[in-house]
Amino acid sequence: MPTDTPRHSAHDNTIVLVGHGMVGQRFLEAIAARGLTATHRVVVLCEEPRPAYDRVQLTSYFSGRTPDELSLTDPEFIEQHGIELYVGDPAESVDREAKTVTARSGQTFAYDTLVLATGSFPFVPPVPGKDITGCFVYRTIEDLLAIEEYAKTYAKTGAVVGGGLLGLEAAGALRGLGLDTHVVEFAPRLMPVQVDEGGGAALLRTITGMGLTVHTGVGTQEIIGTQGAVSGMKLSDGQELATDLVVFSAGVRPRDQLARDCGLTVGERGGITVDEQCRTSDPAVYAIGECALASDGRVYGLVAPGYEMAETVAGSIAAEESSFTGADLSTKLKLLGVDVASFGDAHGATPDCLDVVYSDSRSGTYKKLVIGAGGELLGGVLVGDAEAYGVLRPLTGSVPPVSPEQLVLPAGAGAPVAIGPSSLPDSAVICSCHNVTKGTIRGAVTEHSCTTVPEVKKCTKAGTGCGSCVKVLGQLVNDELEASGVEVDKGLCGCFGQTRQELYEIVHTLRITSYRQLLDTHGREAARGTEGCETCKPTVGSIIASLAPTIGADGYVLEGEQAALQDTNDHFLANLQKNGSYSVVPRIPGGEITPDKLIVIGEVARDFGLYTKITGGQRIDMFGARVEQLPLIWTRLVDAGFESGHAYGKSLRTVKSCVGQTWCRYGVQDSVRMAIDLELRYRGLRSPHKLKSAVSGCARECAEAQSKDFGVIATSSGWNLYVGGNGGATPRHADLLAQDLSDAELVRLIDRFLMFYIRTADRLERTSTWLERIEGSLDHVRDVVVHDSLGLCDELEALMADHVAHYRDEWSETINDPERLARFVSFVNAPDVPDPTVSFVPERDQIKPDLPLLTIGSRPRDLEGAASR
Amino acid sequence: MSVQLRLKDDWFEVCDRAQLQPGRGIAALLPDGRQAALFIDREGRAYAIDNRDPFTGAAVLSRGLLGAAGGRTFVASPLLKQRFDLETGRCLDDDSVTVETHTVRLA
């Protein structure tokens, strides 16, 4: 008897999976969840050079997602379950008699169960010239990288053949590459499969408005080449379109060749024929995903039905009752930033059905509901605003609790849509990617004690597919928590039951300029009339400072009662360091500084014996100043033309820049000028947390703008604005908010973004966490600040205009007022005596705090002996 | 009106009442070289504790913000935010730590 048992003994069954795409990966997760990986040897043959990734989100590469971030596979998962994954080694042939699969590398694997998840390939219409250099398809990361490389070198214009879902994805990719983009669609409208004529028209207007050129009702007749590379295409209406690059995206076809070659039954129009258990004509072989022709006679090109088939096969191997008889084709997508959703009987094919349509060409919104003879909701199309999809899709098949008209009218127009997820039955499927019902989600809260959306996602998998149900998920979790009596206290602190956002609204609306007044009128009952606390004081101080010019408060943060609210940094307009000394950072806008000013900083640091260090934000920090030295230091700095750098405040810190077009041979815009403009515009702006920014002069991104709260990257035709980036402990790449903006558009958009953040963020919440926390995330913020969905933009801009007009330098105001200077002493009763515990020792030709001195602490000391530097 | 600290048997005059701002503190140098942090709350009650923050050793407690919890007034250290009861000197975040308090009067 061997003592060392191998993981899989010889008599174990072997499962061979051919194809490691999204559905293949889902199959692996499904067999692992059923414990089958422990009892079976599992071999995976993957054609692509990388394991499974999120193909649905491919275009997000252009908003900063890296191939690694698109990955769906966790190496730990593969290892933990003993899965043998062969990447870049596709299956070449199957011998069904011998039950073996041979891979391209020559390896042969015996199987007991074979699962084909070979997916599909892009259909390229047989037009002359389709193979000329410059013709591409768009399905894999490799396709995308090839298009990117070619576009950068050879192309200014690109054309997509096909205006369906994938075609518009591809068009989004070309636009992301900065190409002048055309879409050629044979049908009379865009997305002919998913949307009807009205929806197609709304989509067309919006997409044309973005600068794309759309040609509908025409076919591609020929790709024209010049010197072996694409130079144009001939359309069926006789038109010739000049283009440097062509992407074919005219649909996909099931990859069934491997099945054909080994004699499995395939459909007339392709697809491996399977039964309700997804079994092929050979009982030992299954087919799942886009390569399978399901028992209802359809080939499904969506990921959700593929996942369902993966679960079916896993269930059937585990001897569970499971079947796949067909799936709902409902989809909700964001194509080129436009919401598009279709569900149920979207085209009104049911006899005697009726439509309810709302169409607004101005805003590019189109909504249609298909209603059956008995008043039941059969399906619908939503373009431009697909907010209601999360509730409408699960209602399909039932009579809605309110009239259909109310369901399509926009919020605020007539009767509001008062339908929420609470009206859904427990059997309603909330997450269709993972087939999770409302009942399961409620159970996660009531039985598994989940209290947050991330916990529920982990517990049920709901919301981890396409993400379109996350909003409804949030509402369900809150409803359930409230119903089970869990009181969620969202209050700022023990003194205020309101959130920071609510306090902001109160201060703004009622023009409250005093903390005490706010506490005594809006604080919790027990806190009224008390001292307040160290949490709400600076928070309210910051809100009052942000709104100062608008509500009529003094813009100087140390005026009157405001002075008592500020943390010590703001109170002394400098940064407190560990031994009680302060550091000083003058503003150096954009990081640009003259030699003369640099010399002044050097002289000041030398004369006061300060430790100097270059900061990450392109400024100079001077450490080791005692409070009574701060006014003297600043008098010299202000005289030389410096002003406060606000390094001490929850406010704009720096706008970093690269040297840009002026000097750099790659630069395409003047990034330094823009950085200076932005830094001077937003200087002194008090916000929920610090704000960092950067401007890069080209896509090489030397200023690291994508790690900033708001980052700007130059393009040949303007500026791209990224928001919500962060470095630090939880790094986050910023999200692209808008592209190719003019100077004025850029500034206006940043104005709105910052003011919306200041208005709605929690205390000490950076833009990165704010963006991920707020309902609707980036999409919502974009709707509000770009599309003005809440009608707030005028007000946000006016608030910023007030800030800009009333900005004054805090340090020059301070040194010119003897009363304000009085606080800058170590001891009230001995203004000329420096604090003896603030002392320094040498290190690397500069100073560092004398920390051993602090450990001596409160022992009575001989003053003269200690007050040295 | 002046702010005075009790030192042994004497009252030590620190500053004028008007130099104290409600909700904030100031530091005073005592004759033996020690430092005191003096505060006044919004009701006009004065407090004094040792200025040294026992967690870091820096003389900074006078630069913290005042707050109230359960009817007690405290100061939060500006360095690492530990709170100290201004009447007893007890640290509200660590039972084992106490700072010295002084008797103070307005006269």
Side-chain angles (χ1 to χ4, degrees):
Chain A
M1 274 290 280
T3 52
D4 185 21
T5 326
R7 192 184 176 96
H8 307 288
S9 55
H11 57 268
D12 265 343
N13 274 323
T14 302
I15 299 171
V16 174
L17 169 67
V18 176
H20 193 217
M22 298 178 77
V23 171
Q25 171 64 21
R26 182 54 189 268
F27 171 73
L28 295 178
E29 288 167 18
I31 56 173
R34 289 169 173 80
L36 296 170
T37 45
T39 54
H40 291 64
R41 177 186 183 204
V42 180
V43 175
V44 185
L45 297 174
C46 170
E47 178 178 34
E48 288 189 52
R50 62 187 86 239
Y53 55 87
D54 191 349
R55 211 184 293 286
V56 175
Q57 304 289 335
L58 205 55
T59 309
S60 69
Y61 173 79
F62 294 101
S63 45
R65 287 269 282 276
T66 62
D68 279 350
E69 286 167 339
L70 287 168
S71 175
L72 289 174
T73 327
D74 178 356
E76 259 173 46
F77 168 81
I78 300 290
E79 193 174 315
Q80 195 187 335
H81 293 282
I83 295 167
E84 298 166 43
L85 171 62
Y86 298 94
V87 171
D89 195 8
E92 296 260 277
S93 64
V94 176
D95 182 340
R96 291 201 286 126
E97 207 132 296
K99 288 196 165 181
T100 59
V101 181
T102 304
R104 182 178 293 166
S105 62
Q107 298 188 89
T108 296
F109 301 93
Y111 67 82
D112 297 285
T113 305
L114 176 64
V115 179
L116 301 174
T118 46
S120 55
F121 62 87
F123 169 67
V124 177
V127 294
K130 68 179 171 57
D131 297 320
I132 300 179
T133 304
C135 287
F136 295 90
V137 293
Y138 184 69
R139 178 164 175 86
T140 65
I141 289 183
E142 273 56 46
D143 292 337
L144 183 150
L145 296 175
I147 292 171
E148 183 183 35
E149 196 186 333
Y150 190 85
K152 277 190 175 159
T153 325
Y154 303 107
K156 285 212 152 33
T157 304
V160 177
V161 177
L165 196 158
L166 296 170
L168 294 184
E169 282 282 340
L174 296 189
R175 184 166 178 266
L177 285 167
L179 299 189
D180 189 3
T181 305
H182 294 261
V183 178
V184 179
E185 168 57 47
F186 185 70
R189 62 171 183 273
L190 293 169
M191 291 188 72
V193 180
Q194 288 83 7
V195 309
D196 60 356
E197 210 184 310
L203 199 55
L204 176 68
R205 265 189 302 273
T206 310
I207 288 179
T208 311
M210 291 176 189
L212 275 74
T213 313
V214 179
H215 313 260
T216 50
V218 289
T220 305
Q221 281 196 325
E222 189 187 340
I223 309 298
I224 305 160
T226 307
Q227 294 170 341
V230 171
S231 62
M233 56 201 283
K234 214 176 259 171
L235 304 181
S236 60
D237 61 357
Q239 213 193 133
E240 247 190 62
L241 188 66
T243 183
D244 310 313
L245 181 156
V246 173
V247 179
F248 288 106
S249 202
V252 292
R253 296 288 183 270
R255 287 186 70 186
D256 53 14
Q257 198 58 44
L258 191 66
R260 283 173 195 270
D261 291 347
C262 67
L264 291 172
T265 308
V266 295
E268 246 175 66
R269 294 165 62 201
I272 307 165
T273 309
V274 296
D275 64 10
E276 291 185 3
Q277 277 70 46
C278 297
R279 216 181 280 268
T280 66
S281 53
D282 178 341
V285 184
Y286 294 89
I288 55 176
E290 295 181 300
C291 67
L293 176 62
S295 64
D296 64 346
R298 305 178 78 149
V299 172
Y300 289 92
L302 295 174
V303 72
Y307 282 173
E308 229 178 290
M309 292 187 222
E311 292 286 345
T312 301
V313 173
S316 145
I317 297 174
E320 292 167 14
E321 290 259 328
S322 59
S323 64
F324 177 84
T325 53
D328 178 18
L329 285 175
S330 302
T331 37
K332 180 186 172 214
L333 300 151
K334 186 167 278 282
L335 290 168
L336 293 154
V338 188
D339 279 327
V340 179
S342 88
F343 59 97
D345 178 12
H347 293 281
T350 312
D352 299 327
C353 66
L354 298 163
D355 291 345
V356 175
V357 177
Y358 170 82
S359 170
D360 176 2
S361 340
R362 282 186 315 159
S363 66
T365 308
Y366 174 87
K367 300 180 194 180
K368 179 181 83 171
L369 298 183
V370 179
I371 308 295
E376 71 279 17
L377 177 66
L378 295 174
V381 175
L382 307 169
V383 174
D385 171 12
E387 190 75 16
Y389 173 80
V391 169
L392 290 176
R393 190 190 46 76
L395 273 178
T396 307
S398 63
V399 178
V402 297
S403 74
E405 305 86 87
Q406 279 176 288
L407 294 173
V408 291
L409 279 176
V417 186
I419 178 170
S422 56
S423 59
L424 297 172
D426 270 355
S427 60
V429 174
I430 302 298
C431 169
S432 55
C433 296
H434 294 281
N435 201 18
V436 185
T437 61
K438 178 179 164 186
T440 309
I441 292 164
R442 290 181 49 197
V445 177
T446 53
E447 284 155 37
H448 301 280
S449 350
C450 301
T451 54
T452 63
V453 171
E455 282 170 19
V456 171
K457 279 171 138 179
K458 210 168 167 189
C459 178
T460 64
K461 284 205 148 198
T464 58
C466 69
S468 65
C469 64
V470 173
K471 185 164 183 195
V472 172
L473 206 57
Q475 290 165 331
L476 281 176
V477 172
N478 275 345
D479 287 356
E480 212 47 51
L481 283 176
E482 270 167 35
S484 51
V486 177
E487 179 114 9
V488 193
D489 189 338
K490 295 175 186 138
L492 178 69
C493 60
C495 310
F496 285 100
Q498 298 88 346
T499 61
R500 181 191 168 280
Q501 173 175 5
E502 287 162 345
L503 291 177
Y504 177 100
E505 298 298 342
I506 292 167
V507 168
H508 186 198
T509 312
L510 302 179
R511 296 173 164 260
I512 294 177
T513 57
S514 139
Y515 167 81
R516 273 193 201 180
Q517 189 194 340
L518 185 69
L519 181 66
D520 293 352
T521 54
H522 290 82
R524 295 181 199 260
E525 209 58 57
R528 295 186 183 181
T530 72
E531 189 58 44
C533 79
E534 81 284 11
T535 299
C536 54
K537 279 181 174 175
T539 304
V540 173
S542 162
I543 292 172
I544 291 174
S546 295
L547 287 167
T550 309
I551 59 174
D554 198 294
Y556 181 71
V557 296
L558 301 181
E559 192 59 38
E561 186 217 29
Q562 282 192 63
L565 306 178
Q566 312 296 343
D567 273 322
T568 188
N569 282 0
D570 274 297
H571 195 242
F572 289 105
L573 305 172
N575 288 38
L576 180 64
Q577 304 296 333
K578 66 197 296 180
N579 66 341
S581 66
Y582 287 84
S583 83
V584 171
V585 186
R587 183 171 303 290
I588 302 179
E592 182 183 85
I593 185 163
T594 62
D596 282 343
K597 280 185 143 181
L598 208 47
I599 288 167
V600 170
I601 290 181
E603 286 173 347
V604 167
R606 183 195 58 207
D607 295 352
F608 288 88
L610 305 174
Y611 168 80
T612 53
K613 175 130 188 15
I614 310 285
T615 72
Q618 300 184 337
R619 307 198 289 193
I620 298 169
D621 205 343
M622 293 174 269
F623 293 78
R626 288 188 313 266
V627 277
E628 68 274 12
Q629 292 177 313
L630 291 171
L632 306 172
I633 291 170
W634 272 105
T635 302
R636 298 253 310 255
L637 291 172
V638 168
D639 278 350
F642 285 104
E643 60 175 23
S644 168
H646 295 98
Y648 46 80
K650 303 297 177 215
S651 55
L652 180 80
R653 294 288 170 86
T654 67
V655 183
K656 252 175 102 162
S657 68
C658 70
V659 75
Q661 189 188 32
T662 319
W663 292 90
C664 175
R665 65 191 190 277
Y666 298 115
V668 292
Q669 303 280 350
D670 188 351
S671 48
V672 178
R673 181 194 53 78
M674 181 52 78
I676 294 172
D677 287 356
L678 295 179
E679 184 157 347
L680 295 182
R681 183 169 182 83
Y682 303 119
R683 62 186 164 183
L685 178 66
R686 289 316 203 266
S687 54
H689 210 312
K690 60 189 170 187
L691 288 167
K692 296 182 177 184
S693 178
V695 182
S696 276
C698 79
R700 282 174 180 73
E701 243 284 69
C702 296
E704 299 162 328
Q706 287 171 96
S707 64
K708 304 300 181 197
D709 293 284
F710 60 104
V712 178
I713 301 178
T715 69
S716 49
S717 44
W719 306 97
N720 286 355
L721 175 59
Y722 291 81
V723 294
N726 203 353
T730 47
R732 182 182 190 276
H733 262 109
D735 291 309
L736 182 62
L737 185 67
Q739 286 174 290
D740 291 331
L741 303 162
S742 68
D743 288 9
E745 286 169 340
L746 175 71
V747 168
R748 197 171 62 195
L749 200 50
I750 299 174
D751 282 2
R752 295 172 178 179
F753 174 79
L754 290 179
M755 275 304 174
F756 188 54
Y757 162 67
I758 289 171
R759 182 176 195 136
T760 57
D762 274 343
R763 156 184 180 265
L764 300 187
E765 185 177 45
R766 289 290 292 271
T767 57
S768 55
T769 27
W770 168 73
L771 206 54
E772 290 189 349
R773 173 187 58 89
I774 58 165
E775 247 175 48
S777 307
L778 176 70
D779 288 344
H780 174 61
V781 172
R782 186 185 284 118
D783 282 346
V784 173
V785 302
V786 180
H787 307 304
D788 201 8
S789 62
L790 298 180
L792 275 180
C793 287
D794 286 346
E795 187 183 329
L796 298 175
E797 286 174 36
L799 285 168
M800 189 63 85
D802 269 348
H803 163 76
V804 174
H806 291 86
Y807 167 81
R808 287 168 298 173
D809 173 36
E810 286 158 9
W811 263 112
S812 51
E813 298 235 315
T814 305
I815 55 175
N816 291 322
D817 183 336
E819 241 174 74
R820 288 168 177 172
L821 282 177
R823 82 180 70 221
F824 292 91
V825 292
S826 287
F827 302 110
V828 64
N829 60 337
D832 300 324
V833 180
D835 180 351
T837 69
V838 176
S839 180
F840 302 89
V841 292
E843 177 161 273
R844 293 189 297 276
D845 299 332
Q846 297 202 64
I847 57 159
K848 69 171 184 182
D850 183 356
L851 294 177
L853 176 66
L854 298 181
T855 62
I856 300 164
S858 53
R859 188 168 64 91
R861 293 185 57 81
D862 170 17
L863 270 183
E864 277 140 311
S868 61
R869 163 148 282 180
Chain B
M1 200 191 288
S2 71
V3 184
Q4 303 179 356
L5 280 187
R6 179 119 188 133
L7 295 180
K8 290 182 188 152
D9 301 325
D10 285 335
W11 287 100
F12 176 68
E13 189 166 321
V14 175
C15 63
D16 196 75
R17 159 81 170 75
Q19 287 174 274
L20 266 174
Q21 186 183 17
R24 279 227 96 93
I26 47 174
L29 185 60
L30 305 185
D32 62 1
R34 288 186 303 163
Q35 301 182 21
L38 289 90
F39 306 91
I40 195 161
D41 68 14
R42 66 180 278 190
E43 303 293 332
R45 277 189 300 260
Y47 308 86
I49 59 172
D50 195 85
N51 193 30
R52 179 175 178 265
D53 171 13
F55 291 94
T56 60
V60 294
L61 289 185
S62 62
R63 301 179 211 157
L65 283 173
L66 290 202
R72 316 285 301 176
T73 305
F74 64 79
V75 63
S77 167
L79 277 167
L80 300 172
K81 313 293 175 201
Q82 293 91 350
R83 297 165 304 159
F84 298 91
D85 186 308
L86 288 180
E87 280 176 79
T88 63
R90 203 168 53 83
C91 175
L92 303 179
D93 302 293
D94 185 342
D95 281 341
S96 66
V97 179
T98 304
V99 294
E100 201 183 329
T101 57
H102 297 278
T103 308
V104 60
R105 74 172 183 190
L106 303 172

